[in-house]
Amino acid sequence: MDNADPARPAPYLDIQHVSAAYGTTKVLDDVSLSVAKGELIALLGSSGCGKTTLLRSIAGFVTPTAGRITIDGRDITRLAPEARGTAMMFQSYALWPHLDVAANIGYGLRMRGWKKDAIAERVGEMLKLMQLDGYQKRSISQLSGGQKQRVALGRALAVDPSVLLLDEPMSNLDYKVRIELRHELRALQKRVGITAVYVTHDREEALTLADRIAVIDAGRIAQLGTPEEIFHRPASSFVAGFMGADNSLAVMRAGNGWTAAADSAAATTHAHFRGDCARLIESATATEAGSLLLDGVVAQRIYLGNGFRYRIRAGNDEVWVDDEASRAEGASVRIAVAPDVLLLFGPEHGSARQTNAPIAAQNH
């Protein structure tokens, strides 16, 4: 996939036509991706899609079977990891339990032969940047999950890497801590101006952190764009579903709107929409101009605190709808989905890897 854009600055990290395999299994399939200096790109996808393999190819832990990777014009495709000028932050943080905070942060500098005074000065800078002043002699076992994450990030940044690589670094943290650290990491990345590639399976994390998102499916980039583009204008049914518009049904034209297709196999259009974009209409006879209307029965009710999530069986389809009002399981309901929130795609052909140009994908 060629993501060249004449309006974008020249690439700093440039990945061109990279493929990779484990044995006979192809994991990356002709991936191209250009990252500008100071940009944070999120690689977003489900487990096994190839996102971590792409990150490890940049780091040097996986050797591509084809293609080329450059940083600032230097070909690093087959260089050893330590010769690339990158730093990787692992999911487990990989901190040394027998070393204190300062020694962990300065570890990479010692491996590069820095002198003791220079290491102490650089570690002091990282402690201040990571808001860990006073923790330098603390044992790793005495730290919280969020503090360990800051130590690991400080160690990665201490060596002044050309590209920072992050492999799901927040997946082991509690939800509240993850939310706080997302904003801290984003602010820090912007302040330092470092180029970063961030792997995650969490779409909310990608939307919060990234300048652009590359959605990866089966070893290929299914779509590359800003968070707003990916969320509001998905390029395929796969991307729409992955970004939360996971209600999907075959539809057909009905006047100036759409209705569920009686024969889904013969339908030429599929509609995706999010549960929070649909509404439950009080009257079973109510109509709304241009809206997709579905009649169904509440099959399941889940309390969310600020409302309910309903699984509604509508003919042969099942649809999830968020609504504030309480309705009993078994109740008859009518669903209304406004035309401007429908994501409409052409006919599906086989695997989810194939992308279908949207007929209409409007903002909401």
Side-chain angles (χ1 to χ4, degrees):
M1 175 176 181
D2 186 2
N3 67 307
D5 181 349
R8 288 187 54 76
Y12 182 69
L13 168 63
D14 199 18
I15 301 163
Q16 290 299 320
H17 305 292
V18 164
S19 296
Y22 296 127
T24 59
T25 303
K26 181 173 280 191
V27 183
L28 295 177
D29 186 6
D30 195 28
V31 173
S32 293
L33 174 66
S34 295
V35 184
K37 190 172 180 61
E39 184 178 28
L40 190 153
I41 290 279
L43 306 180
L44 176 64
S46 56
S47 178
C49 71
K51 60 187 186 297
T52 296
T53 299
L54 180 56
L55 191 79
R56 292 174 67 84
S57 297
I58 302 168
F61 300 124
V62 171
T63 302
T65 56
R68 184 169 180 260
I69 303 173
T70 62
I71 295 178
D72 199 18
R74 184 170 72 113
D75 191 338
I76 65 163
T77 312
R78 283 166 176 76
L79 293 181
E82 63 272 16
R84 297 181 175 223
T86 61
M88 190 160 178
M89 184 174 170
F90 297 93
Q91 184 176 344
S92 64
Y93 306 145
L95 298 173
W96 296 105
H98 63 287
L99 300 179
D100 61 23
V101 167
N104 265 282
I105 292 176
Y107 182 80
L109 302 175
R110 290 196 301 278
M111 293 299 99
R112 286 164 172 77
W114 281 41
K115 293 183 178 179
K116 189 174 180 180
D117 289 347
I119 291 175
E121 182 179 353
R122 183 63 169 165
V123 168
E125 293 172 358
M126 290 299 103
L127 289 167
K128 184 176 182 180
L129 186 65
M130 295 297 124
Q131 300 177 2
L132 289 170
D133 280 325
Y135 284 80
Q136 51 264 45
K137 296 302 180 184
R138 219 39 105 76
S139 166
I140 295 301
S141 64
Q142 296 176 311
L143 302 180
S144 68
Q147 289 166 340
K148 289 177 182 177
Q149 198 235 28
R150 290 189 180 96
V151 173
L153 184 57
R155 181 182 61 186
L157 291 175
V159 299
D160 194 22
S162 53
V163 178
L164 177 63
L165 307 172
L166 304 106
D167 186 10
E168 304 208 47
M170 300 189 195
S171 61
N172 294 328
L173 299 175
D174 293 338
Y175 180 75
K176 183 176 184 295
V177 177
R178 283 205 312 271
I179 298 300
E180 293 171 354
L181 288 179
R182 281 176 196 169
H183 298 295
E184 288 183 18
L185 178 58
R186 181 58 168 162
L188 176 64
Q189 185 265 335
K190 283 297 184 186
R191 188 163 68 250
V192 175
I194 194 166
T195 308
V197 181
Y198 190 106
V199 162
T200 181
H201 65 273
D202 185 327
R203 64 174 178 262
E204 183 181 330
E205 196 163 273
L207 290 168
T208 303
L209 285 168
D211 294 299
R212 288 187 298 154
I213 298 170
V215 180
I216 299 182
D217 176 41
R220 290 186 172 182
I221 295 179
Q223 187 174 356
L224 174 67
T226 66
E228 292 83 358
E229 289 168 347
I230 298 289
F231 189 82
H232 291 298
R233 295 184 294 281
S236 69
S237 290
F238 169 79
V239 176
F242 197 85
M243 296 307 295
D246 44 11
N247 287 317
S248 176
L249 64 158
V251 296
M252 56 186 296
R253 277 288 184 186
N256 63 344
W258 298 90
T259 188
D263 183 0
S264 59
T268 59
T269 303
H270 283 75
H272 281 254
F273 59 92
R274 296 179 178 85
D276 58 358
C277 293
R279 296 184 302 108
L280 296 181
I281 301 175
E282 293 299 330
S283 170
T285 60
T287 61
E288 293 193 359
S291 291
L292 171 64
L293 300 174
L294 302 167
D295 290 318
V297 175
V298 175
Q300 185 180 7
R301 182 179 76 163
I302 301 171
Y303 182 58
L304 300 177
N306 59 348
F308 296 86
R309 178 162 295 158
Y310 295 101
R311 180 167 61 89
I312 297 170
R313 190 172 293 113
N316 294 325
D317 296 305
E318 286 194 343
V319 175
W320 288 94
V321 177
D322 296 347
D323 196 73
E324 294 181 0
S326 176
R327 292 171 172 81
E329 293 182 358
S332 296
V333 292
R334 172 161 283 191
I335 305 165
V337 189
D340 61 340
V341 302
L342 285 175
L343 301 167
L344 303 170
F345 298 90
E348 299 293 337
H349 300 287
S351 72
R353 264 182 55 176
Q354 289 190 273
T355 59
N356 303 288
I359 296 170
Q362 302 178 10
N363 289 354
H364 65 289

